[in-house]
Amino acid sequence: MIELPTLGWQSIVIFVVFAVSLLIATYCTYAERVIAAFLQDRVGPDRAGPYGLAQPLADAVKMFTKEEFFPGGANKALFVFGPCLAMITALMSSAVIPFGNNISFGNNAFFLQGIEVNIGMLWVFGVVSLGVYGVMIGGWASNNKFSLLGAIRAASQNISYELAMGLSLIAVLMISGTLSLREITLQQSAPGEWAMWNIVRQPLGFIIFLVCAFAETNRTPFDLPECETELVGGYHTEYSSMKLGLYLFSEYVNIFVVSAVMSVLYFGGFNFPFQYELRDWLASSQGWELASAQNLITALGTLGLFAKIFAFIFFFMWIRWTLPRFRYDQLMRLGWTILIPLAVINILITGGLITFGVIK
Amino acid sequence: MSPLFLFLSFVALLSALGVVFAKNPIHSVLFLILTFFSLSGHYLLLNAQFLAAVNIIVYAGAIMVLFLFVIMFLNLNIDTEPHKPALAKIAAAIAGGSLFLIMIVALRDIQLPAVNGATFDSQIGMVDKLGLVLFTTYKLPFELASILLLVAMVGAVMLGKRETGERHF
């Protein structure tokens, strides 16, 4: 008798999360150009559709219809596999992110989260660390010096910044005592003290995590793997058509996921100020049922989480059009001799504060 | 045996064979990563979530990236591979074969202790249980290992520090 694991409503949630990440990534390409235009005092894309809103569709059609090109001497299988892997690893990590609290219909409660595991944080960290394979394989399989250099830069950059990122996560782990992202979110919402988001308790850890997030997603000022002044196009020099599209797209999915992780770990996830007061007010003086009031809070919380995510995405783009690119040795020096010692000091400070009962 | 276990075992064995038989070292590394993934799947089937995640982070995420990194740097190809003499091949086959034989002989008569389903703790592989064991029963070895890792980390940071007179720009 073959027994396959059944997922039920969770598979629907995963499908929705998948679709939403792709949709947000699509419009990130549009947002990037609009924000760039705004910051540089230009008009930006405004031809396709009202306010240029159909621009991502036009870009997709262009990507799909371009010529597919395989460079001579390339390893064909791995050349195709590289962008696929980049996209798969980018999409995998959003499965454990809690996008909302529970919604109940009658007696059935649904969690707006793909999979609730008690290793959620480790899952995200593991999948992020796999993201570099897509870049490495693609860069190596292109049989091009610039691609290979870009791939090697990506690998060393990601390994270096993963260390500081992991150490800054350990400090969060110390105050939360759990690896489950849902638990971490719920801990940041004790009734009456909404201000105790983790950012208040972990300001230094958040800054370290933010810098590492920029490096892990290969965004400016750390986009050295695709540094066009030195490496033509970096690891995707030889790529064309939708294979290039997948690489560019996976970068935006990564930004979305990393923004969601930062919102959950440091900015209270789906919690928002005065949520319990609002729920109790609705239930007591407005004659709502407690369950439907809770459902409204959940919906508002999900909107709030997406607002936080969009704020982070805007921040990523703002930085891109504001700061120049680092030099490669500066990047490495920042990672190894500044961020890692800082992250260790942050762990020591957190441990001290916990020992003396300042934070718990 | 669940079909998931059979599938994971199939993938693990096939990719492990791929590591040995692949001509291209990059393909070998990629097969090894696939092997680690199927092993992590086995850990999940055993309800050892922490071990599964750490296996992916440490082996697939960090160590294999370094492997791939070094192999890409060295640019190993079939035509740059040094020719191995037949004697070395025979010696390697005999050594590997006898190790395989010893393993089979040693594991043939092994009897797994019976597990009592009523008293078995299915949460034994979870993070908090593992942490309790590490910080109570195995406190000293755990702390010694962590000091070793800390020293390694400090050493890496010291290697990266700029020495006096190094800067020319």
Side-chain angles (χ1 to χ4, degrees), chain A residues 1-5 75 78 81 92 117-119 121-123 125-127 129-130 132-133 136-137 139-141 148 151-153 155-156 159 162-163 167 179 327 329-330 333 336-338 340-341 344, chain B residues 2-4 24 26-27 29-30 33 37 44 49-50 52-54 56-57 59-66 68-69 71-73 75-77 123 126-128 150 153 156-157 160-162 166-167 169:
Chain A
M1 178 66 198
I2 290 181
E3 242 182 273
L4 286 173
N75 187 326
L78 291 185
F81 187 52
M92 256 161 58
V117 282
N118 65 10
I119 51 158
M121 210 150 96
L122 287 180
W123 167 265
F125 191 58
V127 172
S129 67
L130 295 177
V132 70
Y133 281 119
M136 283 183 88
I137 290 171
W140 178 80
L148 183 65
I152 285 172
R153 277 186 175 188
S156 40
I159 294 175
E162 249 163 44
L163 292 172
L167 289 173
L179 286 166
R327 220 170 48 217
D329 60 315
Q330 292 171 330
R333 189 151 284 137
W336 283 96
T337 64
I338 298 175
I340 292 179
V344 174
Chain B
S2 75
L4 212 53
N24 189 329
I26 298 264
H27 291 171
V29 172
L30 295 178
I33 294 164
F37 265 92
L44 281 182
Q49 295 185 353
F50 183 73
V54 167
I56 287 186
I57 293 173
Y59 283 95
I63 293 181
M64 295 321 289
V65 172
L66 284 177
L68 207 58
F69 188 83
I71 289 174
M72 281 180 181
F73 249 139
N75 197 19
L76 297 173
N77 283 320
Q123 303 299 305
M126 296 297 170
V127 189
D128 38 355
L150 186 67
M153 200 163 68
V157 172
K161 277 245 184 279
R162 186 185 280 135
E166 190 193 317
R167 183 164 194 164
F169 38 78

Side-chain angles (χ1 to χ4, degrees), chain A residues 213-270:
Chain A
F214 273 90
E216 292 280 316
T217 49
N218 295 333
R219 289 288 294 187
T220 325
F222 304 126
D223 62 342
L224 287 136
E226 45 190 301
C227 168
E228 71 272 0
T229 45
E230 298 164 17
L231 295 178
V232 189
Y235 60 89
H236 54 55
T237 302
E238 295 284 359
Y239 278 91
S240 63
S241 82
M242 203 53 204
K243 292 202 288 298
L244 174 68
L246 283 181
Y247 268 131
L248 302 180
F249 215 60
S250 68
E251 183 182 314
Y252 289 105
V253 179
N254 274 328
I255 291 172
F256 167 65
V257 168
V258 114
S259 303
V261 170
M262 283 194 288
S263 313
V264 167
L265 287 182
Y266 293 100
F267 280 84
F270 51 70

Side-chain angles (χ1 to χ4, degrees), chain B residues 43-168:
Chain B
Y43 291 142
L44 281 182
L45 284 186
L46 295 169
N47 215 9
Q49 295 185 353
F50 183 73
L51 201 56
V54 167
N55 186 43
I56 287 186
I57 293 173
V58 174
Y59 283 95
I63 293 181
M64 295 321 289
V65 172
L66 284 177
F67 262 60
L68 207 58
F69 188 83
V70 171
I71 289 174
M72 281 180 181
F73 249 139
L74 297 179
N75 197 19
L76 297 173
N77 283 320
I78 301 158
D79 36 281
T80 57
E81 195 179 9
H83 183 69
K84 297 185 190 76
L87 189 65
K89 283 181 186 170
I90 294 169
I94 291 172
S98 43
L99 181 67
F100 185 56
L101 208 67
I102 290 167
M103 294 279 274
I104 287 179
V105 169
L107 295 175
R108 196 182 48 149
D109 296 330
I110 208 157
Q111 292 271 324
L112 288 175
V115 174
N116 186 350
T119 57
F120 180 70
D121 183 7
S122 67
Q123 303 299 305
I124 195 88
M126 296 297 170
V127 189
D128 38 355
K129 291 284 166 64
L130 195 71
L132 275 179
V133 172
L134 281 180
F135 278 103
T136 50
T137 320
Y138 300 105
K139 202 171 190 173
L140 186 66
F142 181 76
E143 294 295 336
L144 288 178
S146 63
I147 287 173
L148 188 68
L149 288 175
L150 186 67
V151 169
M153 200 163 68
V154 171
V157 172
M158 283 310 291
L159 282 178
K161 277 245 184 279
R162 186 185 280 135
E163 288 172 23
T164 44
E166 190 193 317
R167 183 164 194 164
H168 302 299

